[in-house]
Amino acid sequence: MTETNYGPSTRALHNQVERTEFGETSDAIFLTSGFVYDNAEQAAATFTGDVEHYQYSRFGNPTTDALQRRLADLEGAEACIVTASGMGAVSSALLSHVKTGDRVVASRALFGSCYWIVTQLLPQYGVETVLVDGDDWDGWTQALSKPTAAVLLESPSNPMLDVLDIQRIADLAHGAGALLMVDNVFASPIGQQPIKLGADVVIYSCTKHIDGQGRVLGGAVLGKKQWIEEVLQPFTRNTGNALSPFNAWVLLKGIETLPLRVNAMARNAAEVADFLAEAPGITRVNYPGRADHPQAELARKQMHNGGSLVAFEVEGGREGAFRFLNALKLVAISNNLGDARSLATHPATTTHMKIAPEERAKLGITDGVIRLSVGLEDSADLIADLKRGLAARKG
Ligand SMILES: *Cc1c(COP(=O)(O)O)cnc(C)c1O
């Protein structure tokens, strides 16, 4: 059953659900590595492509296929391939598409491992890579004045939540002959739909909001059917970063409550951001849903809500930030995000510790910055916890 005019909450539950002959309510799980054939002829015909039959779970599996259909429907994408992790998705999308001598342009504010792929791995294979600051239009125009294979960006970015103009960068990317790949992890499919804004490829770490309950790793790449089938699929099938059918099933269950969770988390995050903005000892709050965000108007235009993450700076540098974090009782210290439980991290010493201090400074990641992933707790309890942090910051 598939209705294109359903809202996201209905789609997440009902679209693209295929049941077996047993008529199960919940998705069936096919935890199998391989498949058997009725006879040798059927096996041969499967390999020539004359018969449609599952061959091997690295190539395809009914449960991972179900997840791919559900994600593609939710995103409004033609096709999807799921991978073992978010980094499996990012690396497959880039490595399947580029070759030696190509050029890749990326936004400077990238998730740590994405930054490593762009700045370390791709150059190792003779791919030229250029980093541009999110709002540096001269930089984007100049970087995309030459033929380019791919553009990779994150918006909102990690950890400072800069919002990049996806439509405008898509136009520049297409002018340079590049595919625009958007890592949409921070917004989730509920918060932002990059394909509608001109992106060609959308990438997820399903580990974050899509699971959202701290259980499994997973990734997804979405895009045009032709690119997925001809470029990405041969790469993922033969290099083997297949998602376990068990994890796919967990993610299918996650999708059922994704709209509910993401919208509730965004409401909580907005309340927490408003509290922090007025709180003594907090020198800066970045939340895409607040009017004082540097790209507030753009965020309103391209996002459906302000997202579930808040970045803020505590007075007193690293010491102030550590005291703040250590005083929290409800919010756990963890570098994961998008979880039902609120999680906070100190980017300068965790997720972004490998990035050179001068590069960190360019990104605004000072020693006082904390990234808070707001969960589903009662907002009053979260705010009471943050008050504990604030009271402790001076020691
Ligand atoms: C977590 C994350 C990734 C990587 O995902 P994994 O599932 O951890 O491999 C990539 N990009 C962003 C923005 C992320 O937050």
Side-chain angles (χ1 to χ4, degrees), residues 85-87 90 111 114 154 183 185-186 205 207-208 217-218 337:
S85 70
M87 286 323 301
V90 174
F111 182 74
C114 298
E154 260 177 53
D183 180 335
V185 167
F186 273 46
S205 162
T207 317
K208 312 297 166 55
L217 299 181
L337 61 96

Side-chain angles (χ1 to χ4, degrees), residues 70 93 96 112 211 222 225 227 229 294 302 327 340 344 384:
R70 206 79 57 83
S96 65
D211 173 29
L222 299 109
K225 193 167 183 283
W227 183 81
E229 286 180 358
Q302 71 180 23

Side-chain angles (χ1 to χ4, degrees), residues 217-232:
L217 299 181
V221 184
L222 299 109
K224 293 236 162 64
K225 193 167 183 283
Q226 191 181 4
W227 183 81
I228 294 275
E229 286 180 358
E230 292 175 12
V231 179
L232 183 65

Side-chain angles (χ1 to χ4, degrees), residues 298-367:
L298 175 62
R300 257 198 309 278
K301 207 175 77 188
Q302 71 180 23
M303 295 174 71
H304 306 311
N305 58 44
S308 64
L309 286 120
V310 182
F312 58 95
E313 186 182 51
V314 180
E315 231 169 50
R318 173 177 160 155
E319 209 179 317
F322 275 27
R323 283 209 189 100
F324 183 100
L325 285 171
N326 291 338
L328 301 175
K329 288 190 177 149
L330 202 52
V331 179
I333 301 173
S334 172
N335 45 278
N336 199 3
L337 61 96
D339 199 271
R341 294 181 169 83
S342 292
L343 306 172
T345 195
H346 182 249
T349 54
T350 62
T351 54
H352 290 68
M353 59 89 74
K354 288 209 185 110
I355 293 176
E358 52 284 8
E359 191 75 3
R360 271 208 304 272
K362 271 194 213 165
L363 297 171
I365 310 169
T366 63
D367 285 350

Side-chain angles (χ1 to χ4, degrees), residues 107 109-111 153-166 182-188 191-194 197 209 286-289 293 295 298-299 302-311 337 371:
S107 55
L110 289 177
F111 182 74
L153 69 80
E154 260 177 53
S155 181
S157 68
N158 181 33
M160 298 312 294
L161 310 176
D162 300 323
V163 176
L164 278 66
D165 193 331
I166 296 173
V182 174
D183 180 335
N184 202 37
V185 167
F186 273 46
S188 91
Q192 173 172 279
Q193 291 177 304
L197 301 166
H209 303 84
N286 285 17
Y287 181 63
H293 186 281
Q295 297 94 30
L298 175 62
Q302 71 180 23
M303 295 174 71
H304 306 311
N305 58 44
S308 64
L309 286 120
V310 182
L337 61 96
R371 185 193 76 192

